[in-house]
Amino acid sequence: FARALPWDAHAHEVRSWLQLALSKLPPQVTPRRAAALYRDGQLALTQALFAAAQASLEQALAAARELADRELEAAALTALCRRAVLTADPSAVALSEAALAAAWAVDGPQPKADAALASAGAYERAGDWQRAAELADEALARYREAGDLYGVAGALGEQGFYDVVHGRLDRAEQRLG
C-alpha cells in the first residue's frame, strides 16, 4: 500500500500506518517487515526527516541482507545515498559506490538508473563533475530503457543543471525546455 501512495493521503499519515503495521508484525526479519521499513524510510526522506529515514533505511538494508534480497539491498543503499546527498554527509560517495555495485548485481534497468542518478548527486556534491555527468548519462539511458518517463525527466533535469552550472546554456535549454 505504501508503494502506491494514495493521491489524497499525506506521507505522515501513511508513515503512521506503516508504524502501526510494523508494531503488529513479529519482530523476526521477514520480507514484509523489510519492505515496510524501506517504504517508511523513503517516505521519511520526502518529509526531510533525515534521521528517521536513515534509521528505517539502515534497518531495511540489514533485513535485505539477512533475507538475501539483492533488489531491496540495492534500493536501500540507493536511498541511503540519496539521504547522504541531501544532508551533505561525507559518506555520500562511498554509499554511491555501494549502491552502484548492488544495483549492477540485480536484473533490470530501474535499480541501475536509480542508483546512477543518486550517485550523480553524490559526485556533484564532491565536485567531481565529470563522474557526475557520466552517471547522469547512465541514469538517462537506463530510465529510457525502463520506459520510466519520470526518471527520464529527473535525469534530464540533473544534466540540465550541470549544463547551467558550466555555462552551456544552449544545451541546458534543450534538456530543460
Side-chain angles (χ1 to χ4, degrees):
F1 180 73
R3 183 188 302 192
L5 184 64
W7 288 106
D8 63 344
H10 298 280
H12 71 275
E13 189 177 19
V14 177
R15 286 195 67 227
S16 70
W17 300 335
L18 282 169
Q19 293 301 317
L20 179 62
L22 283 165
S23 74
K24 303 293 182 190
L25 288 172
Q28 301 88 330
V29 172
T30 64
R32 186 168 284 168
R33 175 176 286 286
L37 287 165
Y38 171 72
R39 293 292 168 206
D40 182 61
Q42 286 284 73
L43 288 170
L45 273 180
T46 68
Q47 296 176 284
L49 299 172
F50 299 119
Q54 183 174 7
S56 290
L57 292 168
E58 286 176 348
Q59 290 177 58
L61 176 60
R65 287 177 170 161
E66 186 173 327
L67 295 167
D69 184 336
R70 296 171 68 86
E71 193 167 316
L72 182 58
E73 179 182 1
L77 283 165
T78 297
L80 283 165
C81 173
R82 185 167 164 250
R83 187 213 59 85
V85 169
L86 292 170
T87 60
D89 185 320
S91 69
V93 169
L95 281 166
S96 80
E97 289 304 318
L100 289 166
W104 258 256
V106 298
D107 291 331
Q110 192 73 42
K112 295 168 182 67
D114 293 341
L117 191 58
S119 296
Y123 279 95
E124 174 239 311
R125 287 275 180 139
D128 187 343
W129 293 94
Q130 179 63 36
R131 180 72 174 134
E134 291 167 1
L135 287 163
D137 290 347
E138 180 68 34
L140 178 60
R142 297 294 177 154
Y143 282 128
R144 283 183 171 150
E145 180 183 346
D148 180 345
L149 298 180
Y150 290 108
V152 167
L156 286 170
E158 192 78 7
Q159 290 175 329
F161 170 71
Y162 299 163
D163 289 336
V164 168
V165 167
H166 294 287
R168 299 183 299 256
L169 301 182
D170 288 340
R171 281 180 59 188
E173 186 176 1
Q174 287 178 326
R175 293 180 204 251
L176 300 173

